[in-house]
Structure formats: structure tokens, C-alpha cells
Amino acid sequence: MTTGVRRRMGVDERRAQLIGVALELFSHRSPDEVSIDEIAAAAGISRPLVYHYFPGKRSLYEAALKRAADELSRRFLEAHEGPLGARLIRVMHRFFDFVEEHGQGFSALMRGGPAGGSSTANALVDGVRQAAYEQIIAHLGVPSPPARLELVVRSWVSLAESTALLWLDGKHVPRAELELQLVHDFAALASVSAAYDQEMAGIMLRVFAQEPSDGPLGELLTRLSVLAPAAPAVPSQRLPQFLR
């Protein structure tokens, strides 16, 4: 990111450069550990010039955070074509690309930034979560999601976030396995909810009907079927009416 040679830039171009430099530095180290002097050196400009464009490190951090949040939100964009399981796998792959590329920056984004956090940082994080939620709801094709579906999707978005943060601390589970497991987690959460609610059952039956046997969700059903012979039979009188 270092320019090496100073050159005159327009205001917008210089601000964009500083945001990019800061985001790169924050991606590898905690924002609390990165100084304005380091940012200035990486950008090939003087410390006072950094303050000419940003009043302090927090404002520069928040600008970098916004760029990261916008990029992360875009990772959830996916064409509404093909089985849901395959779409979610592609989304999770791009999500973990971002997590792996940005590391410390992702942790800072999801944990609210430097010590003390800020209302701006918290709003950006909430915006990413809302964007992810809206994208998943759109893929399910449910214009007015029932309360249980909203709970499932928001819970899954939180699960993906916390899983990624834990994975960064050592990467003990192979990334590809984790991406697939999170897709399975979504189906499992939704299926449990479907066991309690007829509308959710209809949504999940439609989803599974469109899944190929060799797709991610088809694989989940195969894995779960191995457990079926060992599972105790459930008396029909204990099942919801719509599942009998």
C-alpha cells in the first residue's frame, strides 16, 4: 500500500488512499496498536497531512470500518438461481474469504472497534447483520417472514459471525468443513423450527424439494439418516397435527 513517492492527489483520492492504507494495517493488527505515524508512513505523506483529511485516528478508523462493512455486506449478494444449499455455500466461501483476508479488521469490526467502541462502529456492525438477514430472507422467497423464520435467520447470522471469530483464533477446523457445517447449521435450525410451526414446515419442505441429493442440504439429510435407526420412535400423539 506504500506509495514510495509523494504526489499530489485530489481530496477524494487522498481520502480513499488513507482509508485503504488504514484498512490494510487494521486488518493485520488491532486498531489500538496502529499509530497515525504508521498510517502516514505507509501512505507516503506527513503526519500533519493525515490530520488535514481526518481529525483523528478514530474518524479514520470509522471510515475504514465503513469500507470494510460495505465490502462484507456485498459478500452476501448472490444470484437467486439454483438450489439454496449451493447458494449458501458460495456465500459462506466469500464470507470466509473476507474473514481470512482481513483477520484483525474483521475482529475489530464485529467486536465494535478500538477500546470503548463507538455508536458509529456499532451502527455499521448492525448494518452488516441486517444486510445478511435481508439477503437470506430474499433467497428463501418469503416476502413477509413469519416470526420463527426471522428468529432462525438472525440466530444463524450471529452463529456465522461467532464461528468465524472463534475460527480465527487458531483455525483448528478446516475452513471448507466449517463453511459446509454452517450451511448445515442453517438447515438444522430451520428444520427444528419447522417441527413446531406449519408455516415453517411448508418453507423447509419447499427448500428440501429443490435440493439435489448430492448438494449440501442433500448431504445433510444423508448424514442425519445415519442417526435415524438409533433414534427412539416418537409417538404420533406427541407430534404436531400437521406432521402426523
Side-chain angles (χ1 to χ4, degrees):
M1 300 294 294
T2 305
T3 60
V5 178
R6 294 189 187 185
R7 69 181 181 85
R8 294 187 64 85
M9 292 185 182
V11 173
D12 291 342
E13 186 182 6
R14 180 65 78 185
R15 281 179 60 86
Q17 182 217 19
L18 286 170
I19 291 170
V21 166
L23 182 58
E24 178 67 18
L25 291 172
F26 295 151
S27 293
H28 299 288
R29 291 161 56 202
S30 167
D32 289 319
E33 299 173 357
V34 178
S35 69
I36 288 291
D37 287 332
E38 288 179 89
I39 294 170
I45 61 176
S46 66
R47 176 189 174 97
L49 193 54
V50 175
Y51 284 112
H52 175 73
Y53 293 98
F54 294 94
K57 188 171 77 170
R58 179 173 291 280
S59 64
L60 178 52
Y61 170 76
E62 289 177 350
L65 203 62
K66 184 179 187 308
R67 180 181 291 185
D70 289 344
E71 182 182 344
L72 181 53
S73 295
R74 287 193 294 271
R75 301 295 173 109
F76 287 90
L77 295 174
E78 174 67 29
H80 292 197
E81 300 173 357
L84 179 64
R87 298 184 218 170
L88 291 180
I89 279 287
R90 290 191 291 270
V91 168
M92 284 294 96
H93 184 73
R94 290 195 299 272
F95 173 68
F96 272 90
D97 276 348
F98 181 93
V99 171
E100 198 158 29
E101 288 164 10
H102 294 287
Q104 289 276 4
F106 174 78
S107 296
L109 172 63
M110 290 303 162
R111 289 175 172 144
S118 73
S119 57
T120 299
N122 292 335
L124 289 171
V125 172
D126 288 342
V128 171
R129 291 169 179 154
Q130 181 64 22
Y133 166 79
E134 290 174 359
Q135 283 298 314
I136 301 305
I137 291 294
H139 280 288
L140 290 167
V142 184
S144 300
R148 288 182 187 272
L149 181 57
E150 180 175 355
L151 286 172
V152 164
V153 176
R154 292 195 185 280
S155 296
W156 182 71
V157 169
S158 295
L159 176 62
E161 172 190 323
S162 58
T163 297
L165 288 171
L166 289 169
W167 179 76
L168 280 172
D169 188 18
K171 301 182 180 179
H172 300 299
V173 178
R175 175 183 148 175
E177 289 183 16
L178 210 54
E179 291 169 5
L180 178 60
Q181 182 180 318
L182 279 166
V183 173
H184 288 173
D185 286 337
F186 174 79
L189 285 168
S191 297
V192 170
S193 184
Y196 289 85
D197 181 81
Q198 187 168 5
E199 190 171 5
M200 281 296 297
I203 293 170
M204 292 313 297
L205 286 171
R206 174 170 53 81
V207 167
F208 282 121
Q210 297 169 353
E211 290 291 320
S213 59
D214 60 347
L217 300 190
E219 179 184 344
L220 173 62
L221 293 176
T222 300
R223 288 175 180 266
L224 292 177
S225 68
V226 175
L227 301 176
V234 179
S236 61
Q237 63 268 26
R238 292 179 58 189
L239 293 172
Q241 185 67 37
F242 64 89
L243 291 178
R244 295 179 190 175

